Amino acid sequence: MWLKKTKYTFLLLSIMCFTFVNAQKNNWQAASFEVMKSNYKTFKTSQYAHVFSNSKNNIVRLAPELEELTGVTLPLDQYKNGTNAPLKLKFKENVQLLIGTFQEEDNKDYFQFSAADNAKLVLENGVTVTGLPAVNVYAISYSKGTQTILPNAKGLFVVLGAVKSNQNLVSRNAEFPDGKLWNPTFIVEGFSDEKPLFEIIGGETKPVIDEGFPGTEGIQGGFEGGRVVKVGDTYHMFPTERAGEIGVDYYYDRVKTKIGHWTSKDAINWKRQSTIYQASGTYALTEDDNPMNDRRGAIWSYMPVFNKKANKWYGYYLAYTVHKEIQPNHSFGRIWRCESTVEGINGIGGPYKDMGIIMEPGLDSQPWEGRQGVASFFPYQVGEKWFGFYSGAYPFETWADYPKNSGKGWFVALAESNSLEGPWTRLNKGLEPIKSIHPLFVENPIVSQLPNGLYIAIFDGGPDGWGHHLPNMMGYSLSKDGINWSEARYWPIETKVGKWWDIMRTPLCLIPEGNDVYTVIYNTIDLNKRFHPTGVVKLKLNQDVLKSRLEAFNK
């Protein structure tokens, strides 16, 4: 697992400070306009706004003065190469048009104002757009009527909105980072050229499990990862409980973990039923993968799967060696399989008995699996075959880097088997991870099938903080054959549900509820407290978009 609370918490808080500034500043008052004789769309100037067509560039930092203005979606390539048609806007009154320019003056791809343009700098580093240089925002005056905007401009700029001419726009430096830190760019569901596959239709505006709730006694650090399944009318959740110990530093929450079993009738009110597994919490004695070390120091990511052939529930979970000083601390993961001792679909609560290790570091491991691999496992069936996503993290560039000189990256690949029992073999000998989903971060994927047979993997998309510039959203990928996976799309939950978290973590399920509605239960991080809460959101599947996605696979 990637998370460790360190001094970087301060960095994330400083990056996110614009949310607090918003409480102290008034938005600039918008002036309306009409786009004349073009097919250019407009956008609301807000988080995740899609500012250029034919692109994956979105706003991830925005000065509060600009929020809820109306911008114009310009065609990226045409403006970069200077083949764009002139942009004409019709104003109902005199305005100040807000134009963002990209701070890379020696690059002809980007437009820069000259003194003759009479543009006033009002926000230095006022916007961050993924994959592009830092943005300075200028105000340029236009009179009432139809106006051609910067007719001689060559290169890319962004139209962020128009405000009334009589406003005093106080200049300041918003100090937002360079958008090129977000590389690669990514597709935000509902904020791109394509129609979203899922619509966010609702959710709880507060955690459904939080510190002090019944059942959380003895759990210091909250929840991270695992799976939720629905049996009949009951949801069963098997989270990793960051238990720790009272009076011991928060880092130990990640070491002495539990796998709990919780149930709910509505996915909102939960009751803890039992402990499935308890980690030892024992630190390693050596820095390498040595049998002297307790290889069950920490236990994570329990994945229950019903085996129809055996008529019982199987569980797959991760056991780590834990080193106190060497990053990533959780090291040399091993995947265990267990079985419920109670047969039938209602035997999900166990008790469970261990059946042995199905994947572990060894001669068939690859350097990309890194110090943390094998770091998760989820099996799913395709025809008569079984595949399993397994993961690695903190990769070694070569085996000469073993055991301490690890890099950064969270990757997944596939293993295959003829049965859930195994043996499991790394597909293609594990030579390369799957980078089509995202080249740097995919964690804890869970696979199911959509109504037209497409496979969908939901996963943790990675944090925006601690030195990382990742989507900070849950993501999904689609596959027709269960082997080749599409580029990820990410769910901007906070655009429809009041945001009560700082970092989005792991989705635990995508449960169909009928009428194309799905339940997603997820873990988060609230930086103001030690306890990591759990939330729930509802999504609506668009069948027309699903059909078009399948057609795209068939081309």
Side-chain angles (χ1 to χ4, degrees):
M1 302 297 166
W2 51 263
L3 177 64
K4 180 183 179 183
K5 287 188 177 179
T6 66
K7 61 184 179 181
Y8 295 111
T9 299
F10 174 79
L11 294 179
L12 181 61
L13 289 171
S14 63
I15 289 172
M16 298 180 69
C17 69
F18 68 95
T19 59
F20 299 100
V21 174
N22 191 26
Q24 301 174 1
K25 289 183 175 289
N26 293 322
N27 293 7
W28 290 335
Q29 189 175 1
S32 60
F33 61 84
E34 181 182 352
V35 181
M36 305 298 293
K37 296 182 181 180
S38 81
N39 60 356
Y40 296 172
K41 297 179 180 179
T42 60
F43 63 85
K44 283 296 180 184
T45 308
S46 61
Q47 178 80 342
Y48 305 126
H50 184 230
V51 295
F52 301 114
S53 58
N54 302 310
S55 82
K56 294 182 286 187
N57 306 100
N58 296 80
I59 291 174
V60 288
R61 298 286 189 276
L62 178 69
E65 295 96 321
L66 301 172
E67 289 181 2
E68 298 304 314
L69 298 180
T70 299
V72 181
T73 306
L74 305 179
L76 180 78
D77 293 336
Q78 292 177 36
Y79 271 79
K80 269 195 169 185
N81 59 32
T83 61
N84 54 287
L87 173 64
K88 293 186 177 181
L89 301 180
K90 183 178 181 180
F91 302 109
K92 296 181 179 180
E93 59 184 304
N94 296 341
V95 304
Q96 299 179 76
L97 188 65
L98 302 175
I99 302 289
T101 63
F102 297 96
Q103 297 180 51
E104 201 166 286
E105 295 182 3
D106 57 347
N107 191 331
K108 294 182 179 179
D109 287 343
Y110 305 115
F111 165 74
Q112 302 296 330
F113 281 112
S114 66
D117 293 311
N118 293 317
K120 175 187 176 183
L121 177 62
V122 292
L123 285 171
E124 189 175 355
N125 302 301
V127 180
T128 299
V129 179
T130 56
L132 296 173
V135 178
N136 284 341
V137 181
Y138 290 80
I140 185 167
S141 296
Y142 285 97
S143 300
K144 177 182 177 180
T146 300
Q147 304 288 347
T148 301
I149 307 305
L150 302 174
N152 300 316
K154 298 296 182 182
L156 191 66
F157 58 89
V158 56
V159 179
L160 292 163
V163 298
K164 295 181 181 297
S165 63
N166 59 359
Q167 287 188 85
N168 180 26
L169 307 183
V170 178
S171 300
R172 69 182 184 93
N173 188 342
E175 301 183 344
F176 291 141
D178 192 324
K180 290 188 291 185
L181 294 171
W182 280 260
N183 185 24
T185 54
F186 47 88
I187 300 171
V188 182
E189 189 93 327
F191 293 86
S192 71
D193 295 326
E194 62 185 23
K195 291 183 178 180
L197 179 60
F198 291 93
E199 179 189 356
I200 302 159
I201 60 173
E204 295 298 300
T205 57
K206 59 183 179 181
V208 295
I209 305 179
D210 204 348
E211 187 174 14
F213 282 33
T216 63
E217 301 83 3
I219 301 173
Q220 304 299 299
F223 301 91
E224 186 175 338
R227 190 186 187 195
V228 176
V229 297
K230 192 175 184 182
V231 178
D233 64 351
T234 302
Y235 299 87
H236 295 261
M237 179 167 60
F238 296 85
T240 303
E241 299 173 349
R242 298 161 44 93
E245 287 185 3
I246 295 175
V248 181
D249 187 73
Y250 57 77
Y251 171 71
Y252 197 57
D253 299 349
R254 305 176 67 246
V255 179
K256 194 167 184 180
T257 56
K258 298 178 183 179
I259 304 299
H261 175 210
W262 296 66
T263 60
S264 174
K265 294 293 186 180
D266 58 8
I268 298 173
N269 300 285
W270 291 89
K271 181 179 181 181
R272 194 179 191 279
Q273 301 292 343
S274 65
T275 298
I276 303 296
Y277 283 101
Q278 167 72 68
S280 71
T282 303
Y283 290 109
L285 299 175
T286 71
E287 64 186 26
D288 61 344
D289 188 14
N290 192 308
M292 291 177 61
N293 299 324
D294 187 333
R295 290 174 168 172
R296 295 173 65 92
I299 291 176
W300 290 79
S301 301
Y302 186 89
M303 299 291 176
V305 178
F306 188 68
N307 186 338
K308 294 181 181 178
K309 185 176 180 179
N311 191 33
K312 63 174 62 176
W313 285 92
Y314 286 5
Y316 299 83
Y317 67 93
L318 169 62
Y320 281 122
T321 298
V322 184
H323 199 283
K324 196 169 187 177
E325 297 173 356
I326 301 174
Q327 285 275 26
N329 310 112
H330 286 160
S331 304
F332 314 121
R334 287 172 164 81
I335 306 299
W336 285 75
R337 184 178 73 84
C338 60
E339 295 182 1
S340 176
T341 60
V342 179
E343 291 189 353
I345 195 75
N346 293 319
I348 187 169
Y352 286 82
K353 63 178 180 179
D354 282 326
M355 305 304 293
I357 295 170
I358 63 162
M359 288 195 74
E360 64 181 326
L363 294 177
D364 56 349
S365 298
Q366 297 298 324
W368 67 263
E369 295 178 31
R371 185 174 174 94
Q372 198 168 3
V374 181
S376 71
F377 185 82
F378 185 85
Y380 59 96
Q381 190 170 16
V382 179
E384 299 299 317
K385 197 82 172 176
W386 286 89
F387 293 99
F389 269 117
Y390 71 97
S391 69
Y394 292 80
F396 301 119
E397 186 171 338
T398 69
W399 284 125
D401 294 324
Y402 174 87
K404 292 192 297 184
N405 188 23
S406 59
K408 293 294 177 68
W410 290 259
F411 307 107
V412 294
L414 290 175
E416 60 181 339
S417 176
N418 291 322
S419 71
L420 276 170
E421 293 82 7
W424 291 88
T425 303
R426 287 166 170 82
L427 193 65
N428 192 32
K429 298 182 180 179
L431 295 177
E432 290 291 338
I434 298 170
K435 293 187 176 182
S436 60
I437 302 174
H438 188 283
L440 297 174
F441 197 106
V442 178
E443 192 170 58
N444 298 321
I446 294 176
V447 178
S448 56
Q449 276 187 283
L450 295 173
N452 67 350
L454 283 181
Y455 295 88
I456 181 169
I458 59 171
F459 59 91
D460 173 4
D464 179 1
W466 293 286
H468 307 296
H469 299 280
L470 293 161
N472 201 29
M473 291 175 276
M474 298 179 283
Y476 75 89
S477 172
L478 300 177
S479 174
K480 183 180 178 182
D481 59 10
I483 300 174
N484 300 287
W485 292 89
S486 71
E487 182 178 3
R489 275 73 172 162
Y490 296 89
W491 290 321
I493 303 299
E494 64 267 39
T495 62
K496 296 291 182 68
V497 177
K499 186 179 180 183
W500 46 265
W501 64 89
D502 294 308
I503 293 180
M504 178 60 69
R505 281 258 43 206
T506 309
L508 307 185
C509 60
L510 182 68
I511 295 176
E513 306 287 14
N515 297 319
D516 295 325
V517 173
Y518 289 77
T519 296
V520 178
I521 296 164
Y522 57 91
N523 299 138
T524 67
I525 297 171
D526 180 343
L527 290 172
N528 292 316
K529 54 188 176 185
R530 178 172 176 170
F531 193 98
H532 294 185
T534 297
V536 64
V537 67
K538 298 286 187 180
L539 308 177
K540 178 85 170 181
L541 177 69
N542 186 318
Q543 287 283 358
D544 291 336
V545 175
L546 181 61
K547 180 181 178 181
S548 68
R549 298 284 179 92
L550 179 58
E551 291 171 350
F553 276 108
N554 290 331
K555 289 181 180 179

